[in-house]
Amino acid sequence: MDIASLRKEYVQDELEIESTPTDPFELFQKWFQQASKADVLEPNAMILSTVSEAKKPTQRTVLLKAYDSNGFVFYTNYTSRKAKQIEGNNQVCLLFPWYALERQVTVTGRAQKVSKAQSLKYFTSRPKGSQLGAWVSHQSEVISTRSLLEAKLDEMKRKFKEGEIPLPDFWGGYRVIPDSIEFWQGRQNRLHDRIFYELADGNWNKSRLSP
């Protein structure tokens, strides 16, 4: 296959700075709703980028579980690689890759833990299997075989057979509090529209970036 010949023109939409709101969360909500209605696969999937103490970047896909003007929330194991890297450097980047709509949104900001009460509220809303999974996995640690996970799952099923499954003390949420949000809309001839919002003194300033 000649990868260099793979090419697609982006013609679905346009993004003019004059038509964008002052608050980037208004535009994000509009785009998120459109992605959901367009049956985009996992519209709340976002790529989270962190940096290790050795300055090596790492990326993985996580799921957005809440957002408002205070930021974007996801949940994870607090002993995972991503959590350890956030502890060392809480400056992170999020990317929403809505390829079907020829769009992407990039968020930069700092990650901070949400309250235990908020983590508990979300945890209890999860399916029981997901709750058990949080107890089973020592996320990012090396394991010799999947059978260890299956055995641990059976153990947790027995342990929490009766009553509610408690929130693990090593599991919870992060909120990414943005200092910039960029909206990217694909256009013809690779002359894409990029509207960049940056927070300064409590106010959002927006500008158009060259593609």
Side-chain angles (χ1 to χ4, degrees):
M1 176 184 292
D2 180 10
I3 297 177
S5 68
L6 294 177
R7 188 167 288 104
K8 180 181 185 300
E9 283 289 353
Y10 301 136
V11 297
Q12 289 192 41
D13 210 340
E14 61 185 32
L15 186 61
E16 297 295 338
I17 192 169
E18 295 80 11
S19 64
T20 57
T22 302
D23 185 349
F25 285 97
E26 291 183 25
L27 183 54
F28 180 84
Q29 181 174 4
K30 177 182 177 180
W31 275 25
F32 186 83
Q33 290 175 344
Q34 289 175 342
S36 299
K37 292 179 181 178
D39 292 327
V40 169
L41 179 64
E42 299 278 27
N44 61 327
M46 55 188 186
I47 299 168
L48 167 67
S49 300
T50 56
V51 179
S52 71
E53 291 184 357
K55 310 301 182 184
K56 293 183 178 181
T58 307
Q59 296 179 310
R60 77 288 290 163
T61 300
V62 298
L63 295 178
L64 177 70
K65 289 301 178 180
Y67 71 89
D68 57 24
S69 59
N70 295 315
F72 304 84
V73 178
F74 67 94
Y75 293 86
T76 190
N77 186 309
Y78 285 148
T79 67
S80 65
R81 178 170 57 182
K82 71 176 79 66
K84 291 176 181 177
Q85 292 184 351
I86 288 172
E87 184 177 352
N89 179 359
N90 70 348
Q91 297 297 312
V92 303
C93 182
L94 302 174
L95 173 67
F96 294 87
W98 294 325
Y99 303 127
L101 298 179
E102 300 171 357
R103 289 174 173 171
Q104 59 184 359
V105 178
T106 305
V107 178
T108 64
R110 69 185 190 279
Q112 68 177 31
K113 289 181 178 178
V114 303
S115 68
K116 188 172 183 178
Q118 184 172 348
S119 292
L120 176 61
K121 182 178 179 181
Y122 171 69
F123 184 79
T124 56
S125 74
R126 305 180 87 202
K128 187 174 182 178
S130 297
Q131 293 180 16
L132 290 171
W135 279 97
V136 168
S137 176
H138 297 283
Q139 197 172 102
S140 302
E141 291 189 9
V142 175
I143 57 173
S144 58
T145 175
R146 182 178 175 83
S147 62
L148 294 176
L149 294 177
E150 303 294 346
K152 187 68 174 179
L153 178 59
D154 289 340
E155 178 187 341
M156 292 298 103
K157 286 180 178 179
R158 292 191 297 271
K159 181 176 181 179
F160 299 124
K161 184 177 180 180
E162 304 294 337
E164 299 294 326
I165 301 173
L167 171 70
D169 59 6
F170 53 81
W171 193 95
Y174 284 100
R175 176 181 289 105
V176 177
I177 303 169
D179 51 51
S180 75
I181 305 178
E182 179 185 325
F183 296 85
W184 183 100
Q185 176 68 61
R187 296 294 300 274
Q188 281 185 297
N189 303 313
R190 297 298 185 261
L191 298 179
H192 313 301
D193 290 329
R194 298 173 61 192
I195 305 301
F196 183 73
Y197 289 82
E198 188 170 26
L199 193 61
D201 298 323
N203 296 310
W204 287 102
N205 299 321
K206 62 178 177 177
S207 56
R208 173 180 283 277
L209 303 181
S210 174

